[in-house]
Amino acid sequence: MKRCDLMVEVGRRRFLGGLGVAAAGAAAAATTAPQADAAPAPALVEYPSRRLANLSQLKVDEPLAVAYPDKDAPGVLIKLGTRVPGGVGPDGDVVGYSTVCPHKGFPLAYVKEDKTLSCPGHYARYDCEKGGQQIWGHATQNLAQYALRVDGKGDIHADGVDELLYGRLSNVL
């Protein structure tokens, strides 16, 4: 068999050494290259602070319909009766969630027996005592939970949302 005269014998150490030099050169070029066409970093969403209800309007396991961050985003406030992470109020048991399933946008219903929000479309379930964590279903994210606070008069205010709302490319209003 005839050998090619242009072929060069390269051992593994020499090949890996050359590969390392090439990688270092590429990294140096990337860090010093001008970024004229780089897109600006996305701005953080600034949510409106909105009064949703008063503590006196809530009863244990009876959801109260609300809308946040705008009228096109239905949600619910729930007094769970036990202190939970993210809960507000004197008992730390009031939470707020979007009531639109993050999978396909079906309206969610509260099930007081297991304190979940459930979807009739594909049977997804979200645990209200664990920050809207998905416990069953096809969604790829947990349920959007409101960042709540209670003022001195007992008014419940929402100041933000922790997940992407269904049907929006971002939570920008």
Side-chain angles (χ1 to χ4, degrees), residues 41-117:
L44 295 175
V45 176
E46 298 228 2
Y47 291 98
S49 180
R50 184 162 294 140
R51 180 191 178 278
L52 300 179
N54 187 281
L55 288 171
S56 64
Q57 294 175 262
L58 300 177
K59 293 180 176 55
V60 175
D61 287 328
E62 291 183 20
L64 177 67
V66 296
Y68 184 80
D70 54 41
K71 65 179 179 54
D72 297 321
V76 68
L77 289 177
I78 307 167
K79 182 172 179 59
L80 297 170
T82 57
R83 183 172 296 277
V84 295
V88 297
D91 301 321
D93 64 344
V94 176
V95 292
Y97 294 101
S98 167
T99 54
V100 179
C101 184
H103 176 233
K104 292 284 184 178
F106 285 91
L108 301 174
Y110 183 67
V111 180
K112 67 180 178 179
E113 290 77 25
D114 61 1
K115 299 186 187 294
T116 60
L117 283 165

Side-chain angles (χ1 to χ4, degrees), residues 21 31-32 36 38 44 63 72 77 98 109 120-121 128 130 139 146 154 170:
V21 169
T31 59
T32 60
L44 295 175
D72 297 321
L77 289 177
S98 167
C128 295
K130 294 185 179 170
Y146 303 151
S170 73

